[in-house]
């Protein structure tokens, strides 16, 4: 897992994966659109190898969030407005799988508890790799009960074609 500020990201993380530079460049070029609710939804950047889903999400108490993990995609979750708390655990340490892996949606859930939490604020991002189980949509401490975050979730195929 990586947590950092968006403005310091492009050069620092571009070498991790061939599509990271493209993803961060897209986010920089579309900064105004990302703030516009009319831009909500899925947008392809590089076909199924790289796309973004933009929208608003109701947050819940951190203890009500559920760990999830992906096999085919890396999640780059960018906070556009508001903040969000994310739980984290090593995926290989999770022992309480909830149901079967959903191949079509590239997701599996776990009933295990996160071992740590991080809060990303406006202008920050988190990256979750397939080995990271993560629990999104947590309400940060001191946030209002009806807290909402606006974020861009960039899906980066692990093995780009």
């Amino acid at each position: 897992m990586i947590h950092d500020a968006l403005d310091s990201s492009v050069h620092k993380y571009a070498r991790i994966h061939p599509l990271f530079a493209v993803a961060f460049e897209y986010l920089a070029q579309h900064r105004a659109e990302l703030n516009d609710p009319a831009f909500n939804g899925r947008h392809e950047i590089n076909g199924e190898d790289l796309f973004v889903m933009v929208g608003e999400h109701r947050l819940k108490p951190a203890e009500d969030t559920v760990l999830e993990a992906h096999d085919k995609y890396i999640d780059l979750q960018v906070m556009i407005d508001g903040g969000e708390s994310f739980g984290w655990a090593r995926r290989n340490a999770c022992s309480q799988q909830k149901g079967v892996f959903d191949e079509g949606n590239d997701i599996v859930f776990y009933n295990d508890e996160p071992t740590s939490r991080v809060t990303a604020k406006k202008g920050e991002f988190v990256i979750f790799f397939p080995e990271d189980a993560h629990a999104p949509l947590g309400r940060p401490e001191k946030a209002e009960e009806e807290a909402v975050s606006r974020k861009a979730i960039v899906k980066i195929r692990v093995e780009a074609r």
Side-chain angles (χ1 to χ4, degrees):
M1 180 191 88
I2 296 171
H3 173 212
D4 203 345
L6 192 55
D7 59 6
S8 67
S9 59
V10 177
H11 303 293
K12 193 184 299 185
Y13 302 109
R15 289 173 273 170
I16 294 175
H17 188 284
L19 291 176
F20 274 27
V22 178
F24 285 117
E25 174 97 9
Y26 178 90
L27 293 167
Q29 290 178 351
H30 292 84
R31 196 167 292 215
E33 290 98 334
L34 292 170
N35 285 296
D36 184 353
F39 197 68
N40 286 1
R42 179 184 161 135
H43 306 276
E44 288 191 9
I45 302 169
N46 189 15
E48 288 299 309
D49 285 346
L50 181 65
F51 58 93
V52 62
M53 297 176 296
V54 182
E56 293 183 0
H57 304 272
R58 286 207 177 288
L59 304 179
K60 50 190 157 190
E63 61 270 11
D64 292 343
T65 61
V66 177
L67 287 169
E68 64 182 55
H70 314 287
D71 285 347
K72 297 176 191 169
Y73 288 94
I74 299 164
D75 271 10
L76 165 58
Q77 300 201 22
V78 181
M79 301 310 303
I80 299 166
D81 196 20
E84 187 171 325
S85 173
F86 295 86
W88 177 89
R90 284 185 7 247
R91 183 177 181 181
N92 64 5
C94 292
S95 61
Q96 300 175 40
Q97 187 169 319
K98 185 177 175 180
V100 297
F101 188 88
D102 181 341
E103 292 283 338
N105 291 310
D106 186 41
I107 196 165
V108 66
F109 296 98
Y110 296 96
N111 285 323
D112 298 79
E113 291 295 319
T115 57
S116 64
R117 290 207 166 272
V118 63
T119 297
K121 297 179 180 178
K122 180 178 180 175
E124 297 178 349
F125 66 90
V126 288
I127 298 174
F128 298 108
F129 296 91
E131 60 268 18
D132 299 314
H134 56 285
L137 304 177
R139 189 168 54 228
E141 286 186 27
K142 301 179 185 174
E144 296 179 19
E145 278 194 39
E146 295 297 318
V148 174
S149 71
R150 179 170 182 75
K151 67 180 175 179
I153 304 170
V154 182
K155 303 295 275 186
I156 303 163
R157 188 186 296 270
V158 173
E159 295 182 21
R161 298 176 190 169

